[in-house]
Amino acid sequence: MFGQKVSRNRENKMDTAEVRGVCNSSKLEGSKSNSSLKVWEVATAFGVIAAFAIGLLGVYLTMPASDYSFLKLPRTLEDLQILRDHLDSYTSDYTMQVLVGYCVVYIFMQTFMIPGTIFMSLLAGSLFGVLKGVTLVVFAATAGASSCYFLSRLIGRPLVFTLWPDKLVFFQAQVAKRRKCLLNYMLFLRVTPTLPNTFINVASPIVDVPYHIFFLATFIGLIPAAFVTVKAGIALGELRSVGDLYDFQSIAALFLIGVVTVTPTLLSENKSEQPIN
């Protein structure tokens, strides 16, 4: 009699899981079919771009008259060294303008998924040192990821369905499976390269990751990688390639942190799968 009840409970749980899976799939399919952008959504995106442009213009107008042709997004270590050499003379006299300009550029790059934030992290270490640099990078990266999260909630569906359809299905299934320990799972994703950070920023609101969990996982999970990158920026002249940033010790440390963050999730899954006696 008791065994029949347990069997029925298991069947009910399996049926519930199947229904949820069908609902999630239907939700994604419905979102995919309604993924065309509306006029107000496009206007919102351009409004965000205009806000960043106004912020940069305000910083530029408060700087002294000079040749700023060196100001461009660094794409190589050589570009970064040139930018650092020029900005180093401004940082002491115009600290606030440099800080605001740095944050606006970093947040803009994160919001619109522009590659090269790793060079910005190196620049923070070179200009401000480890402690201030890590604080600045974590703040800017978290703000940029949050900005991307909310912008994606408005207009991100077409982009995600076009660029990462398979990753989106996988991410949706993992989030639904680990809903009880979602913070640990999101921390694991931030610390390890399981999924690209750009994809996580854009896809999280689409698969219903709550913002408070997204925020905490981003803020805490980015600290280890930010520390490694910012610290490397202090010895910028010694770097020969971006690959030199992550030696064996750094990779091992990040992997260990990832294992620690995901362990509670794995333990909870094991407990839920244990048969009832």
Side-chain angles (χ1 to χ4, degrees), residues 161-181:
F161 282 118
T162 301
L163 296 180
W164 304 290
D166 296 334
K167 281 188 175 68
L168 183 62
V169 173
F170 170 80
F171 191 33
Q172 170 73 25
Q174 295 301 312
V175 168
K177 182 180 178 181
R178 295 174 167 83
R179 183 67 64 177
K180 293 182 178 179
C181 296

Side-chain angles (χ1 to χ4, degrees), residues 78-130:
E78 183 179 357
D79 292 342
L80 182 61
Q81 290 172 355
I82 294 173
L83 181 61
R84 187 274 313 270
D85 292 339
H86 283 86
L87 286 179
D88 195 38
S89 59
Y90 290 98
T91 303
S92 58
D93 296 331
Y94 300 93
T95 305
M96 186 56 63
Q97 288 90 332
V98 174
L99 284 173
V100 173
Y102 177 92
C103 289
V104 171
V105 172
Y106 201 118
I107 294 172
F108 178 83
M109 294 175 70
Q110 283 279 78
T111 300
F112 294 99
M113 301 176 295
I114 300 175
T117 53
I118 188 171
F119 294 112
M120 297 295 291
S121 298
L122 288 169
L123 181 62
S126 181
L127 292 177
F128 304 107
V130 175

Side-chain angles (χ1 to χ4, degrees), residues 172-224:
Q172 170 73 25
Q174 295 301 312
V175 168
K177 182 180 178 181
R178 295 174 167 83
R179 183 67 64 177
K180 293 182 178 179
C181 296
L182 190 55
L183 177 59
N184 295 94
Y185 178 64
M186 293 298 293
L187 279 170
F188 172 77
L189 293 181
R190 285 303 191 186
V191 174
T192 63
T194 305
L195 289 173
N197 279 325
T198 299
F199 170 79
I200 297 172
N201 296 342
V202 179
S204 290
I206 297 175
V207 299
D208 296 327
V209 174
Y211 175 68
H212 70 280
I213 290 179
F214 176 87
F215 174 83
L216 288 174
T218 302
F219 182 80
I220 299 173
L222 293 180
I223 293 176

Side-chain angles (χ1 to χ4, degrees), residues 141-154:
T142 303
S146 299
S147 177
C148 184
Y149 176 98
F150 288 112
L151 189 62
S152 178
R153 175 176 286 180
L154 292 176

